Amino acid sequence: MGRAPNWTKEEIDYLQDQWGVTSIKGISTRLGKSINAVKLKAQRMGLSDPRMNFDGITVCQLGKALGREYTIVKNWINRYGMPARKKLFAQSARVWVISYADFWKWAEEHKELLNLAKMEPGTIGPEPEWAKIKRKADQLRSQKTWQSVDWTPAEDQRLAQILKTEITYPDLARMFNRSEASIKRRILDLNLKMRPVRLNNLIKYTPDEVQTLLRMAQEGYSYETIGSTLGKSALGVRGKLERMGFDFKRRRLREEAR
């Protein structure tokens, strides 16, 4: 059996530089060596899985980092235009990937899809400043406002009883650890006749309150948190933003995009 061909310093440097950037097949073709020879040399050099050397993340890894199912995150590609692409890492395996820079640029305009509360900083590469603010906002937000958590019979019975008293949507939201929108939907689903007492959201916002409202909405705070800060209901906060022409997907006033 003949000896394995020697590797020059230039070839070794190229392998190290391109590992995770160029496919193994591409490296093999460029260097004129077999795929097995390239894999063996990479292993001896201590190079890790090429997917871990890529300056980005696979869609599968992204889902795990965000605590979301792979199918949900992959759906963001077609439904919300997440700029992922297929990359050839080995001789035939193509994997959906996205660079860190592309992800964070896309994520800034789709903050409502993300929950960064439990994600450690740096998990998805260097984070922009707004992500740190978003994480703080998400940590103030109940998990029941992010997930579709079923109502229990005991909760339904308690809701029906409490509605007989004078209570507001914000108080109910805090009591049941759910969003005001969830409370409203449940009341309609149960066909309950009683309704919460509405806060007087017709009181005009002061200029300072409007600035706070827009800043917190753009930073990704929940309507409940904004309402608590301003002394208004979450439903009233959303209504105010709608009347102002706030773009809920891009998190900014529509007039600013013109």
Side-chain angles (χ1 to χ4, degrees), residues 143-189:
Q143 280 300 104
K144 287 186 178 180
T145 69
W146 278 106
Q147 303 171 355
S148 180
V149 180
D150 291 337
W151 286 72
T152 66
E155 285 180 317
D156 287 342
Q157 184 177 9
R158 186 183 178 202
L159 177 61
Q161 289 295 322
I162 292 174
L163 282 174
K164 296 177 181 178
T165 66
E166 290 191 356
I167 191 167
T168 64
Y169 273 108
D171 288 337
L172 283 170
R174 285 190 290 271
M175 189 176 296
F176 287 91
N177 194 26
R178 295 177 183 270
S179 68
E180 291 179 31
S182 175
I183 299 290
K184 184 177 181 179
R185 284 195 302 271
R186 195 58 181 169
I187 291 172
L188 295 175
D189 289 344

Side-chain angles (χ1 to χ4, degrees), residues 54-68:
F54 172 64
D55 185 25
I57 192 168
T58 68
V59 169
C60 182
Q61 293 166 343
L62 178 62
K64 291 178 180 178
L66 294 173
R68 306 298 293 271

Side-chain angles (χ1 to χ4, degrees), residues 145-250:
T145 69
W146 278 106
Q147 303 171 355
S148 180
V149 180
D150 291 337
W151 286 72
T152 66
E155 285 180 317
D156 287 342
Q157 184 177 9
R158 186 183 178 202
L159 177 61
Q161 289 295 322
I162 292 174
L163 282 174
K164 296 177 181 178
T165 66
E166 290 191 356
I167 191 167
T168 64
Y169 273 108
D171 288 337
L172 283 170
R174 285 190 290 271
M175 189 176 296
F176 287 91
N177 194 26
R178 295 177 183 270
S179 68
E180 291 179 31
S182 175
I183 299 290
K184 184 177 181 179
R185 284 195 302 271
R186 195 58 181 169
I187 291 172
L188 295 175
D189 289 344
L190 295 175
N191 198 26
L192 299 175
K193 304 303 180 185
M194 302 296 292
R195 294 289 187 272
V197 177
R198 287 188 176 275
L199 291 178
N200 186 1
N201 289 304
L202 296 179
I203 298 176
K204 290 184 177 181
Y205 283 67
T206 67
D208 286 344
E209 287 176 332
V210 170
Q211 291 300 315
T212 299
L213 170 68
L214 286 176
R215 176 182 58 78
M216 295 184 72
Q218 289 165 347
E219 291 173 349
Y221 284 89
S222 69
Y223 305 126
E224 282 75 16
T225 302
I226 299 173
S228 177
T229 300
L230 297 176
K232 301 180 183 297
S233 73
L235 295 174
V237 164
R238 184 181 180 94
K240 176 65 174 176
L241 287 169
E242 287 175 345
R243 292 191 296 274
M244 293 174 65
F246 187 77
D247 188 326
F248 291 91
K249 291 296 184 183
R250 297 186 180 276

Side-chain angles (χ1 to χ4, degrees), residues 23-52:
S23 69
I24 297 175
K25 183 178 180 180
I27 294 174
S28 168
T29 301
R30 172 67 174 76
L31 297 178
K33 299 180 183 293
S34 71
I35 290 174
N36 285 337
V38 170
K39 287 182 176 179
L40 182 60
K41 188 61 176 179
Q43 183 179 2
R44 288 174 175 172
M45 290 171 61
L47 299 179
S48 60
D49 185 330
R51 289 171 294 183
M52 302 304 291

